[in-house]
């Protein structure tokens, strides 16, 4: 696995400041012979004032800026493409080096504005129903590349929530994801409350343990199919990280406070949409104070799965509610620009 600096140097560029924690910035400035407090100044310029060049850091001495410029660059990148949906959703295509790209999605909804961000270039999970997995895995993103998706969009000032639900499995890139979360939630960074952040995972248990211990952000488990033997057919990660083991782990934590847990359940006709499936799901997650998000399936090429109909989804929700489980049907957003759940793929974006 690449370290942050190794990955940045792979781009053939100067080392990038964006994505570094305050402790890392302190190491940077001390190595250059600058006062330690310069790190706090740099952090303020990077994360609060969102500058794109070191020369804009005007409260740092001219000599200090020269030293920083000799070895570093800010690392901000504008999106290469912007696609706008008729429902107000905006999809961004970001360059992440060496002709590689990722997508992120801005979703406005009344007073709420959510940004769905990517954490990997492609994905290793290869879930049958997800376009991202079909393009394969091209590498982990640095914390800087992750944060660039947030800092470089038009609607940054309106953002209320961030979800790690874009391209990639966040907990296959735990180091950089946790570093980006530190920047988002720290006072030297964006200063956000952890309850405004949700991370989605298929259940990579080593990374999940680290995530649950390191922060109090919300968690979304991509469950989708409540029978392990069937889930394995559609989600290969089940072999290495059985959903029963994932549930056993999350049951060790308290979900009655500010941190929330939800289960994502993409519904496929004839696969996981029966009332018996609803009953089995309820039994599986019994004892966890949670929400189930029923997600309409969005068809992708060369996959034989078909969406469940709206009436079936509504009946499924009612069945869960009878078991005292909160359930909602997620409204599809950005489908006309291929920005809805499971549709992100930089391959299609570049065609």
């Amino acid at each position: 696995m690449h370290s942050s600096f190794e990955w940045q140097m792979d781009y053939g560029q100067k080392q990038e400041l964006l994505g570094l924690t305050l402790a890392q910035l302190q190491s940077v400035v001390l190595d250059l012979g600058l006062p330690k407090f310069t790190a706090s100044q740099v952090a303020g310029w990077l994360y609060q004032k969102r500058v794109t060049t070191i020369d804009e850091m005007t409260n740092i001495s001219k000599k200090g800026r020269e030293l920083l410029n000799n070895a570093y660059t800010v690392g901000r990148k504008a999106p290469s493409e912007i696609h706008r949906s008729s429902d107000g959703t905006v999809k961004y295509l970001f360059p992440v080096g060496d002709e590689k790209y990722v997508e992120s999605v801005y979703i406005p909804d009344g007073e709420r504005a959510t940004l769905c961000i990517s954490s990997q270039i492609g994905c290793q999970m290869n879930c049958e129903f997800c376009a991202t997995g079909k393009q394969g895995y091209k590498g982990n993103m640095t914390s800087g590349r992750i944060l660039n998706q947030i800092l470089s969009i038009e609607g940054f000032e309106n953002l209320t929530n961030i979800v790690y639900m874009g391209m990639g499995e966040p907990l296959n890139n735990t180091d950089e994801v946790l570093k980006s979360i530190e920047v988002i939630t720290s006072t030297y960074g964006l200063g956000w409350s952890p309850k405004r952040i949700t991370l989605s995972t298929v259940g990579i248990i080593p990374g999940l343990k680290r995530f649950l211990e390191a922060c109090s952000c919300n968690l979304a488990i991509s469950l989708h199919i409540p029978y392990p033997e069937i889930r394995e057919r559609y989600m290969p990660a089940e072999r290495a990280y059985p959903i029963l083991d994932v549930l056993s782990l999350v049951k060790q934590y308290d979900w009655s406070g500010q941190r929330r847990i939800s289960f994502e359940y993409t519904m496929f006709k004839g696969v996981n949409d029966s009332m018996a499936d609803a009953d089995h799901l309820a039994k599986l997650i019994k004892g966890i104070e949670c929400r189930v998000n029923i997600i309409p399936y969005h068809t992708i090429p060369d996959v034989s799965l078909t969406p469940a109909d709206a009436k079936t989804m509504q009946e499924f929700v009612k069945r869960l509610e009878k078991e005292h489980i909160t359930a909602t049907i997620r409204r599809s957003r950005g489908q006309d620009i291929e920005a809805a759940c499971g549709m992100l793929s930089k391959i299609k974006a570049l065609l």
Side-chain angles (χ1 to χ4, degrees):
M1 179 180 290
H2 292 279
S3 73
S4 178
F5 280 134
E6 288 172 340
W7 185 254
Q8 289 160 0
M9 292 304 289
D10 281 350
Y11 291 140
Q13 304 292 332
K14 296 177 182 178
Q15 294 180 1
E16 297 178 3
L17 295 172
L18 192 68
L20 299 186
T21 65
L22 182 60
Q24 290 176 313
L25 289 172
Q26 288 170 346
S27 295
V28 165
V29 299
L30 291 175
D31 286 347
L32 293 175
L34 298 171
K36 188 176 181 180
F37 67 79
T38 309
S40 296
Q41 295 174 314
V42 173
W45 287 109
L46 290 174
Y47 304 125
Q48 293 160 20
K49 295 174 182 163
R50 299 166 55 220
V51 299
T52 57
T53 67
I54 291 170
D55 289 333
E56 293 173 81
M57 302 179 183
T58 52
N59 63 348
I60 297 173
S61 68
K62 183 178 179 181
K63 179 183 177 182
R65 278 177 276 155
E66 288 175 355
L67 290 170
L68 285 167
N69 267 314
N70 287 339
Y72 296 92
T73 184
V74 166
R76 284 276 301 281
K77 299 287 183 182
S80 299
E81 296 179 10
I82 302 175
H83 300 271
R84 304 181 193 278
S85 167
S86 58
D87 65 19
T89 301
V90 184
K91 183 170 71 171
Y92 295 91
L93 183 74
F94 281 102
V96 286
D98 192 26
E99 297 185 359
K100 296 183 176 73
Y101 298 85
V102 297
E103 294 182 323
S104 52
V105 181
Y106 175 81
I107 308 167
D109 186 12
E111 295 182 356
R112 184 184 178 97
T114 300
L115 184 67
C116 180
I117 60 175
S118 297
S119 55
Q120 292 185 304
I121 308 163
C123 187
Q124 295 155 298
M125 296 297 94
N126 197 27
C127 296
E128 177 67 12
F129 45 86
C130 181
T132 304
K134 302 302 179 185
Q135 74 180 52
Y137 168 72
K138 306 298 181 183
N140 281 335
M141 293 171 64
T142 63
S143 59
R145 294 299 188 217
I146 293 170
L147 291 165
N148 183 64
Q149 298 169 88
I150 302 168
L151 298 170
S152 297
I153 66 165
E154 300 164 333
F156 171 80
E157 292 81 3
N158 300 321
L159 282 180
T160 60
N161 297 82
I162 291 169
V163 291
Y164 287 75
M165 293 183 185
M167 299 169 70
E169 163 55 60
L171 297 183
N172 268 347
N173 188 17
T174 309
D175 288 345
E176 298 301 305
V177 165
L178 289 180
K179 197 193 302 185
S180 68
I181 289 173
E182 177 184 330
V183 172
I184 296 169
T185 57
S186 294
T187 54
Y188 70 79
L190 301 186
W192 278 36
S193 165
K195 66 183 181 181
R196 296 170 63 184
I197 302 167
T198 300
L199 179 141
S200 173
T201 177
V202 300
I204 308 299
I205 289 175
L208 182 54
K209 288 179 180 176
R210 288 184 57 195
F211 170 78
L212 292 172
E213 295 297 328
C215 70
S216 56
C217 297
N218 302 319
L219 174 67
I221 300 289
S222 293
L223 195 154
H224 304 299
I225 298 171
Y227 307 96
E229 65 279 8
I230 301 176
R231 187 174 187 260
E232 183 180 323
R233 292 183 215 163
Y234 298 95
M235 302 177 67
E238 172 68 27
R239 296 173 201 143
Y241 305 109
I243 190 62
L244 295 179
D245 292 348
V246 175
L247 293 172
S248 177
L249 173 61
V250 299
K251 285 178 180 178
Q252 297 173 27
Y253 292 81
D254 178 16
W255 300 100
S256 61
Q258 287 193 337
R259 174 155 64 181
R260 300 187 304 274
I261 183 171
S262 59
F263 292 96
E264 296 169 320
Y265 196 94
T266 302
M267 192 168 286
F268 315 106
K269 185 176 182 179
V271 176
N272 64 348
D273 62 343
S274 72
M275 294 305 101
D277 297 333
D279 293 340
H280 195 78
L281 174 61
K283 183 178 178 181
L284 199 65
I285 61 177
K286 184 178 180 180
I288 305 174
E289 190 166 332
C290 64
R291 174 186 297 271
V292 174
N293 288 320
I294 307 298
I295 304 171
Y297 170 58
H298 304 103
T299 56
I300 59 175
D302 303 318
V303 173
S304 59
L305 292 166
T306 56
D309 60 71
K311 182 181 178 183
T312 299
M313 289 192 288
Q314 291 165 0
E315 290 174 350
F316 199 96
V317 166
K318 290 178 182 177
R319 189 72 163 231
L320 291 177
E321 289 174 341
K322 284 184 179 180
E323 298 296 326
H324 309 290
I325 294 171
T326 301
T328 56
I329 299 171
R330 183 178 294 171
R331 185 160 60 100
S332 291
R333 297 291 302 271
Q335 192 168 356
D336 58 334
I337 56 170
E338 297 186 318
C341 292
M343 300 184 78
L344 297 187
S345 172
K346 64 90 181 174
I347 293 175
K348 290 188 291 185
L350 294 173
L351 292 178

